Amino acid sequence: MRILLVEDDRSLSRAVSTILQKNNYSVDCVENGQMALDYLEKDIYDAVIMDIMMPVMDGIELCKRIKSDINLSHIPVILLTARTDTASKIAGLENGADVYIEKPVSVSYLYAQMVSLLENRNKLRCLFSEKPFTPINTLTET
């Protein structure tokens, strides 16, 4: 599985990529949102882990662009940030983040979140590939 890590803090980037690589993930690291978009246009990734506060393009804008692009919107996004206020959390989730993790981050917690997210996405993918059409009598009106 391929992960794109978008983090301008090199020590955190090294720590996260080391853990992921030890668990057989391929990791590409970039330092800002614009670089991340360039990578996403060229390669296929299974998840994006990103900081919110970065130079050039912040994580909220990057998340918004990923989730509004039909070719990228399926990719799970995990936001990492030192912003702990409720408004920042809501902004992250409103712009499509799947997970919002506050810094200082436990790398093992981040890893567990990512694995859970990817496993759940895989289960959905399998379900829809096995049963692409839902019987009409199982749908309810809301």
Side-chain angles (χ1 to χ4, degrees):
M1 294 198 117
R2 293 193 69 197
I3 308 299
L4 181 59
L5 177 59
V6 191
E7 174 60 65
D8 59 337
D9 179 338
R10 291 180 189 211
S11 62
L12 179 57
S13 182
R14 273 192 304 273
V16 172
S17 63
T18 298
I19 291 292
L20 295 175
Q21 289 168 347
K22 283 182 181 177
N23 288 283
N24 299 316
Y25 287 90
S26 173
V27 182
D28 289 329
C29 300
V30 296
E31 296 179 1
N32 65 61
Q34 187 57 55
M35 291 173 72
L37 281 179
D38 294 342
Y39 272 63
L40 288 164
E41 288 174 5
K42 295 175 187 168
D43 290 311
I44 297 171
Y45 291 92
D46 296 295
V48 179
I49 300 171
M50 70 178 83
D51 191 0
I52 286 184
M53 296 182 284
M54 297 180 292
V56 184
M57 180 190 305
D58 69 18
I60 297 291
E61 181 62 25
L62 175 58
C63 186
K64 186 177 184 178
R65 289 195 186 187
I66 290 171
K67 294 302 184 173
S68 64
D69 184 328
I70 191 69
N71 297 312
L72 304 174
S73 61
H74 66 283
I75 300 172
V77 173
I78 299 173
L79 289 178
L80 304 176
T81 184
R83 293 182 180 171
T84 60
D85 61 289
T86 302
S88 294
K89 292 176 187 177
I90 291 171
L93 296 172
E94 286 179 342
N95 283 286
D98 295 282
V99 177
Y100 190 103
I101 300 176
E102 299 173 1
K103 290 181 181 178
V105 62
S106 158
V107 177
S108 58
Y109 176 75
L110 168 62
Y111 177 75
Q113 280 279 14
M114 187 196 68
V115 168
S116 175
L117 185 60
L118 291 173
E119 284 177 357
N120 288 335
R121 291 282 171 108
N122 192 44
K123 287 176 186 175
L124 282 174
R125 189 178 303 117
C126 290
L127 176 67
F128 284 120
S129 68
E130 291 171 6
K131 298 178 184 180
F133 301 104
T134 303
I136 193 72
N137 63 350
T138 64
L139 299 176
T140 61
E141 187 176 348
T142 58

